[in-house]
Amino acid sequence: MKIHVNFAERSYDILIQKGLRHDVGEILKQSLSSKRLALISGEKAGALYQQELTSSLETAGFQVFPLIIKSGEMNKNMQTVSAIYDFLLANKFDRGSAVIALGGGIIGDMAGFAAATIFRGISFVQIPTTLLAQVDSSIGGKTGVNHALGKNLIGAFYQPKAVLIDPQFLKTLPPRELLCGYAEMLKMALIADADLAETLWLQREKLLNPILVESTSQLIFSAIQIKKAIVEADETESGRRMLLNFGHTIGHAIENVSGYGNILHGEAVLMGMIAALHLSFQHKFLSDAQFTEWTQRFHQLLLERLPFTFSKEKILTAMRLDKKISNGLMKFILLKTIGKGIIIENISLTELHDSLDFLEENLSYG
Ligand SMILES: NC(=O)c1ccc[n+]([C@@H]2O[C@H](COP(=O)([O-])OP(=O)(O)OC[C@H]3O[C@@H](n4cnc5c(N)ncnc54)[C@H](O)[C@@H]3O)[C@@H](O)[C@H]2O)c1
Ligand SMILES: [Zn+2]
């Protein structure tokens, strides 16, 4: 399956195909003019797949320089990017060379940022190996790192030359990581496609099972289609792309106060979506039935993490620091209905408090 992403002279293809990792060399011969490649992987994807990819690339005539970097949100910083620069410079990379990211979103974001900035930009390819990276982070060209003061504060919009997706990479992914990708797929469907949201729910057992997930290429394809259409229309997030932050305003605050790593991004987003559903319900956008059905579904997905205790005060403080709370009215992504996201600028502090209370109650019993 192929999806063409249209950014004028920066257009490229996303390929989704089981077993595609064996053909990466042949495929990239068409989109890369450079012969010198840095293959940057995280520790797990590196140990599992770097060798296979290196052989495929070398057979196709590329000269491969493999580098394994530590993944983990705490390593997603300028120090690691600096180590990537050191590696590229020590190996005499130049403007004509290229960087391939093989791994989850953390590796893609960092390798992409290094590629965007070294020599003011060299060719970059994404080979995402987590469900979250396949449906979300590898699509749309956001790259970057965290700063001590907040997540993803340093970065660049930088489109890759290709995104190569092999659903078989997901066989080795722990179910907890599959849930994170699944959460982002639900997010995309809830803001843009009610039928897909329902299908995703019905197919959850496949999507959350490492043995079965490779059979869900079509669903991965559908989620990417949504993200692609949104980012094509608004590459630098001046409007519509903000819809992709559904569940993330409160989600980021939860991630922040729980300590990165204790709770995973997708889990925090699931929690954030519960609060956003409540805000949508308070705003009279969702019916009682829609609201109850989807909060119960999210609750069920989070069951293994419950009860989850959080401090409302700490979340509000994190949101204040993140400049998400002003004295007056706040901006949130809500659902106008299931399958239609909407940017709302007039959420009051009282509504936010009510939603956090609802969330706390929802997460307090298993
Ligand atoms: N650029 C964007 O638009 C965008 C969008 C969403 C999220 N993100 C970023 O993505 C990051 C999260 O990405 P993630 O969820 O992929 O996390 P991640 O990169 O930390 O990967 C999750 C874990 O899975 C391991 N792993 C990777 N591939 C594997 C495989 N095939 N088999 C077994 N283990 C494997 C990794 O080593 C890691 O331990 C966050 O930093 C987030 O900010 C970016
Ligand atoms: Zn996310």
Side-chain angles (χ1 to χ4, degrees), residues 151-163:
K151 212 173 132 80
N152 298 331
L153 290 184
I154 300 163
F157 287 100
Y158 194 64
Q159 299 300 338
K161 293 278 182 244
V163 181

Side-chain angles (χ1 to χ4, degrees), residues 136 184 187 248 265 269:
D136 195 351
E184 303 282 12
K187 168 195 82 178
H248 282 60
H265 175 73
V269 170

Side-chain angles (χ1 to χ4, degrees), residues 196-208:
L196 179 63
E198 206 51 40
T199 308
L200 288 175
W201 177 251
L202 296 174
Q203 297 292 323
R204 66 192 177 284
E205 281 175 17
K206 271 194 200 156
L207 282 153
L208 297 172

Side-chain angles (χ1 to χ4, degrees), residues 234-293:
D234 176 20
E235 185 179 7
T236 55
E237 198 169 312
S238 52
R240 212 174 136 63
R241 188 166 180 169
M242 284 179 217
L243 292 178
L244 294 166
N245 293 331
F246 176 60
H248 282 60
T249 312
I250 291 173
H252 275 159
I254 293 176
E255 224 180 330
N256 201 333
V257 302
S258 333
Y260 290 120
N262 290 328
I263 172 153
L264 299 176
H265 175 73
E267 293 165 345
V269 170
L270 281 174
M271 295 177 188
M273 286 195 282
I274 294 179
L277 285 170
H278 188 263
L279 286 170
S280 310
F281 177 60
Q282 287 186 88
H283 242 70
K284 310 237 179 328
F285 289 157
L286 294 183
S287 70
D288 216 328
Q290 287 173 320
F291 169 61
T292 309
E293 172 145 67

